[in-house]
């Protein structure tokens, strides 16, 4: 998700240099930026660590675990490099041999070629029996995987026109969108009602959490995610918060406050979302696993002729001095696993997780990475949420009754899949534009190393200023990790949630199967079939999270239909969306500093108590 923005901002910044960066250098910058941004997710700063902070000694046999800055650095180091060293051999498999699409990586390569007036990259792919890449535009339009444009010259001229627009107005668009988003974020800090508008009335906002957050960052994310995904998310929000939440509350199944994750409706519908995510991920992975097993049999079975193996080897277009030596990969994997196991043991102790369980977690991470990367390469979705649950199921059997070990080992396994998937998009971009894989590898190491300090520092500062999870930063995935770990230990579900879990799992298992078959047939309406993961996210987060993103998705849809009708002519919209996201991100750091030094809100006007996040009333 970050590749396009990183490439765009890198291109704009390079125009300020005496000698602008080449396309290949832009890709290295992009790769470094993505590696830096991936670490907070891969290291579990939004899921694993908040989940450990929610532990209760009576329930879980362990007090809450809150890492110091040094411990957070140690944990980050333990998972920072495994996915990086795993990437080169996976690249050879999925990009060179199998030639998977990786739609976001391919789109970034096309963007860079437009910005640098290069011939469009050769993205011709052989027809596959598995997934098709699901584009954000109608498949009746020319794409990199379907047919060539009818008038190639007109498409090239349109791309060049868009490139000229970006060069002339890109900085203005980025700056204005950045300032607008930053100003709104700062206003929301001093006047919290700005980001908690009781659009449906103060009663629904206070008692049922139905409010509207007009965050331009959320709008920008919706633009980048696209209309189909945001639509699925809001359908889930309507079902979860509009139907199931009142049903569970009125029926007495969730008697506590609606927002309570233990006894309230939010905690009750969390289990439904978990069932949806698991069913969707499992069904979506089945064809990937099947096809991968078939290919293993073909590749490693008795060869019918010596020519086939030679042809596969000849697909590598890079010279040895531009590739990552296999010796580096082997030493790096062994070193990262050994050092990671030791660091996890130092940070969490022998009571938290046994070293042998951490080793199994890394091995599990390697296997899950292959599945996740293949799914990402063919669908542009990395099913890490489902893969993480698979790892938790395994560790419930390996080390039963240990909630802490279940969460940590699952986090170790998921980290590799998350990191390898995000980095593989950049390697696909580099392959199409002929950037050096070794230079990208250096960028990945630099970005991951830098992010260790940045992520640990930012997380520690936010922990001091805010309660995480809390009203301002709910971190819903933390509850998913902890709830599943407790379920696997105790086997106890909230009242009457099991039947609804089974019902929704069956429904979205069938929907996922239909989506897979439609994608295999390259059906033009595949993208409108609801995404189970996006639908479940609508359950996990409050309505304010989804509504603004829907606005962004609608903007993206209208822009593509009425403004940017030519292929690749949506670059300007991506620049604006990136400015929205960056503006709020940068100003949130200023808000953190203000919060740390005790600078509070200027006015609670319009709140009426309990409407705004973190309201003291």
């Amino acid at each position: 998700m970050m590749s396009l923005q990183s490439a765009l901002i890198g291109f704009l910044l390079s125009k300020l240099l005496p000698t602008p960066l080449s396309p290949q250098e832009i890709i290295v910058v992009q790769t470094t930026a993505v590696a830096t941004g991936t670490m907070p997710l891969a290291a579990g700063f939004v899921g694993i660590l908040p989940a450990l902070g929610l532990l209760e000694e009576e329930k879980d046999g362990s007090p809450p675990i809150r890492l110091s800055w040094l411990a957070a650095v140690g944990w980050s180091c333990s998972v920072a490099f495994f996915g990086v060293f795993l990437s080169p051999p996976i690249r050879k498999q999925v990009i060179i041999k199998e030639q998977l699409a990786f739609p976001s990586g391919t789109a970034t390569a096309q963007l860079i070629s437009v910005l640098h007036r290069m011939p469009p990259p050769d993205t011709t792919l052989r027809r596959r029996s598995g997934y098709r890449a699901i584009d954000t535009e109608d498949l009746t339009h020319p794409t990199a995987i379907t047919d060539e444009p009818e008038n190639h010259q007109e498409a090239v001229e349109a791309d060049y026109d868009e490139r000229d627009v970006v060069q002339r107005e890109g900085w203005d668009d980025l700056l204005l969108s950045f300032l607008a988003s930053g100003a709104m974020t700062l206003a929301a800090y001093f006047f919290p009602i700005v980001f908690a508008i009781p659009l449906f009335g103060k009663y629904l906002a206070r008692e049922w959490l139905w409010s509207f957050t007009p965050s331009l960052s959320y709008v920008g994310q919706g633009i980048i995610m696209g209309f189909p995904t945001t639509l699925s998310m809001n359908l889930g929000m309507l079902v979860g918060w509009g139907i199931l939440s009142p049903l569970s509350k009125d029926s007495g199944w969730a008697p506590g406050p609606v927002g309570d994750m233990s006894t309230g409706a939010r905690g009750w519908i969390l289990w439904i979302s978990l069932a949806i995510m698991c069913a969707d991920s499992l069904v979506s992975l089945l064809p990937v696993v099947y096809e991968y097993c078939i290919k293993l049999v073909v590749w490693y079975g008795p060869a019918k002729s010596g020519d086939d193996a030679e042809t596969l080897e000849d697909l590598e277009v890079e010279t040895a001095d531009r590739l990552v030596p296999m010796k580096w990969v082997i030493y790096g994997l062994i070193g990262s696993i050994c050092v990671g196991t030791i660091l996890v043991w130092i940070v969490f102790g022998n009571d938290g997780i046994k070293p042998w369980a951490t080793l199994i977690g890394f091995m599990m991470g390697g296997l899950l990475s292959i599945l996740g990367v293949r799914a990402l390469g063919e669908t542009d979705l990395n099913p890490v949420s489902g893969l993480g649950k698979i790892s938790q199921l395994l560790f419930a059997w390996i080390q039963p009754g240990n909630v802490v070990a279940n969460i940590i080992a699952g986090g170790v396994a998921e980290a590799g899949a998350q990191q390898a998937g995000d980095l593989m998009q950049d390697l696909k971009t580099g392959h199409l534009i002929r950037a050096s894989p070794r230079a990208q590898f250096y960028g990945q190491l630099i970005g991951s190393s830098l992010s260790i300090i940045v992520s640990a520092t930012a997380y520690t500062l936010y922990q001091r200023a805010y309660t995480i999870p809390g009203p301002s930063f709910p971190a819903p995935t933390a509850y998913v990790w902890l709830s599943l770990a407790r379920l696997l230990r105790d086997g106890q579900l909230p009242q009457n949630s099991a039947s609804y879990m089974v019902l929704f799992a069956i429904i979205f298992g069938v929907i996922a199967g239909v989506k897979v078959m439609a994608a295999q047939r390259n059906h033009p309406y595949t993208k409108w079939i609801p995404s189970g993961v996006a639908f479940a996210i609508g359950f996990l987060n409050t309505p304010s999270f989804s509504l603004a993103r829907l606005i962004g998705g609608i903007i993206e849809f209208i822009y593509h239909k009425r403004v940017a009708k030519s292929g690749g002519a949506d670059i300007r919209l991506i620049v604006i969306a990136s400015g929205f996201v960056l503006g709020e991100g940068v100003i949130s750091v200023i808000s953190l500093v203000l919060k740390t030094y005790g600078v509070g809100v200027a006015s609670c006007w319009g709140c009426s108590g309990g409407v705004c996040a973190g309201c003291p009333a």
Side-chain angles (χ1 to χ4, degrees):
M1 189 172 175
M2 294 181 289
S3 298
L4 279 169
Q5 300 96 296
S6 300
L8 267 172
I9 295 169
F11 172 79
L12 292 174
L13 289 175
S14 76
K15 303 303 288 185
L16 303 177
L17 302 176
T19 303
L21 298 179
S22 68
Q24 290 74 22
E25 290 169 332
I26 291 291
I27 290 175
V28 174
V29 170
Q30 162 206 326
T31 303
T32 306
V34 170
T36 305
T38 296
M39 264 301 294
L41 295 175
F45 283 102
V46 297
I48 304 297
L49 298 189
L52 294 174
L54 293 170
L55 293 171
E56 299 176 24
E57 192 160 11
E58 293 182 359
K59 285 186 178 181
D60 309 307
S62 171
I65 298 176
R66 295 183 177 89
L67 302 185
S68 65
W69 178 83
L70 188 60
V73 169
W75 162 251
S76 300
C77 287
S78 69
V79 296
F81 303 107
F82 178 67
V84 175
F85 285 104
L86 205 60
S87 296
I90 295 181
R91 169 193 173 273
K92 186 174 181 64
Q93 178 67 35
V94 300
I95 294 179
I96 304 303
K97 289 186 176 181
E98 298 185 50
Q99 303 175 43
L100 298 187
F102 289 97
S104 291
T106 300
T108 306
Q110 292 170 332
L111 167 68
I112 292 173
S113 68
V114 169
L115 295 176
H116 288 271
R117 267 191 206 276
M118 296 170 56
D122 180 12
T123 58
T124 304
L125 298 176
R126 54 186 171 81
R127 297 294 179 180
R128 301 178 48 75
S129 59
Y131 282 127
R132 302 286 185 194
I134 304 171
D135 203 3
T136 56
E137 298 182 6
D138 289 341
L139 292 176
T140 52
H141 291 174
T143 66
I145 307 168
T146 55
D147 301 324
E148 293 294 322
E150 294 180 2
N151 193 328
H152 180 71
Q153 184 61 33
E154 289 183 6
V156 171
E157 290 175 358
D159 284 348
Y160 286 171
D161 290 342
E162 185 69 10
R163 182 195 69 86
D164 293 336
V165 170
V166 171
Q167 289 195 347
R168 287 196 313 269
E169 304 177 13
W171 268 114
D172 292 339
D173 292 337
L174 186 66
L175 182 61
L176 289 175
S177 57
F178 179 94
L179 291 175
S181 180
M184 182 168 283
T185 304
L186 201 58
Y189 179 81
F190 290 109
F191 303 95
I193 194 66
V194 172
F195 272 6
I197 298 175
L199 194 63
F200 308 98
K202 291 182 179 179
Y203 171 77
L204 288 179
R206 183 172 53 251
E207 300 297 332
W208 295 94
L209 308 184
W210 276 84
S211 62
F212 174 58
T213 301
S215 162
L216 290 180
S217 177
Y218 286 5
V219 173
Q221 292 168 19
I223 291 172
I224 295 167
M225 293 165 69
F227 183 52
T229 301
T230 57
L231 186 60
S232 293
M233 188 184 301
N234 278 266
L235 287 174
M237 179 265 292
L238 287 173
V239 173
W241 292 91
I243 299 176
L244 295 181
S245 173
L247 176 65
S248 63
K249 177 76 171 178
D250 294 341
S251 301
W253 305 333
V258 171
D260 191 287
M261 295 295 289
S262 299
T263 61
R266 187 174 188 181
W268 194 88
I269 63 175
L270 178 147
W271 292 99
I272 316 300
S273 71
L274 180 61
I276 293 171
M277 282 193 291
C278 289
D280 182 87
S281 299
L282 179 62
V283 174
S284 299
L285 280 173
L286 285 178
V288 176
V289 175
Y290 173 76
E291 187 175 349
Y292 187 64
C293 292
I294 294 297
K295 289 185 180 300
L296 285 178
V297 172
V298 172
W299 286 331
Y300 297 105
K304 295 182 179 179
S305 67
D307 296 336
D308 293 338
E310 185 178 352
T311 302
L312 287 175
E313 292 299 323
D314 290 342
L315 291 175
E316 179 60 76
V317 296
E318 300 292 348
T319 56
D321 62 312
R322 288 164 57 88
L323 294 171
V324 179
M326 187 53 63
K327 182 169 63 175
W328 295 8
V329 173
I330 295 172
Y331 290 159
L333 285 174
I334 294 174
S336 61
I337 291 174
C338 293
V339 172
T341 301
I342 294 171
L343 286 174
V344 170
W345 177 70
I346 292 173
V347 171
F348 296 104
N350 202 47
D351 293 335
I353 182 170
K354 307 291 184 184
W356 58 264
T358 307
L359 281 172
I360 294 176
F362 277 111
M363 295 177 188
M364 187 76 176
L367 295 174
L368 295 180
S369 296
I370 296 172
L371 297 180
V373 165
R374 284 185 55 82
L376 180 69
E378 300 199 25
T379 68
D380 215 26
L381 292 173
N382 192 349
V384 288
S385 58
L387 296 176
K389 306 304 166 283
I390 293 173
S391 63
Q392 282 191 277
L393 290 170
L394 174 67
F395 282 99
W397 174 68
I398 293 176
Q399 206 167 349
N402 192 330
V403 172
V404 176
N406 186 279
I407 294 173
I408 295 171
V412 169
E414 186 186 71
Q418 174 79 53
Q419 199 174 29
D422 288 346
L423 299 181
M424 206 57 56
Q425 296 276 21
D426 300 316
L427 291 174
K428 177 67 175 184
T429 304
H431 175 67
L432 294 174
I433 304 294
R434 297 299 303 276
S436 167
R438 186 179 296 192
Q440 288 186 271
F441 177 74
Y442 292 148
Q444 291 169 349
L445 289 176
I446 293 170
S448 297
S449 301
L450 177 63
S451 190
I452 290 171
I453 304 299
V454 174
S455 301
T457 303
Y459 182 73
T460 303
L461 291 175
Y462 273 98
Q463 264 197 319
R464 291 177 182 174
Y466 299 93
T467 300
I468 302 177
S472 298
F473 297 96
T477 53
Y479 293 97
V480 174
W481 279 95
L482 181 59
S483 297
L484 182 58
R486 285 173 174 171
L487 172 65
L488 294 173
R489 182 199 61 191
D490 302 329
Q492 294 181 352
L493 288 167
Q495 184 181 359
N496 284 346
S497 62
S499 56
Y500 284 88
M501 289 175 67
V502 172
L503 174 64
F504 277 86
I506 292 173
I507 291 173
F508 277 90
V510 172
I511 290 175
V514 172
K515 194 177 182 80
V516 167
M517 290 187 290
Q520 288 175 341
R521 291 164 174 76
N522 215 8
H523 199 284
Y525 297 105
T526 300
K527 64 180 182 180
W528 297 111
I529 301 174
S531 162
V533 172
F535 191 92
I537 290 173
F539 279 55
L540 283 179
N541 295 283
T542 57
S544 62
F545 180 91
S546 303
L547 290 171
R549 287 173 171 83
L550 178 62
I551 294 174
I554 292 172
I555 291 172
E556 180 265 348
F557 179 76
I558 294 174
Y559 188 86
H560 278 151
K561 289 295 183 183
R562 299 187 180 180
V563 180
K565 295 184 178 180
S566 59
D570 57 350
I571 301 175
R572 191 175 184 183
L573 185 63
I574 297 173
V575 172
I576 295 171
S578 301
F580 286 158
V581 175
L582 286 170
E584 183 166 320
V586 172
I587 300 303
S588 66
V589 177
I590 298 175
S591 301
L592 172 63
V593 174
L594 294 174
K595 180 80 171 179
T596 303
Y597 284 95
V599 179
V601 301
S603 172
C604 284
W605 175 85
C607 179
S608 295
V611 173
C612 304
C615 178

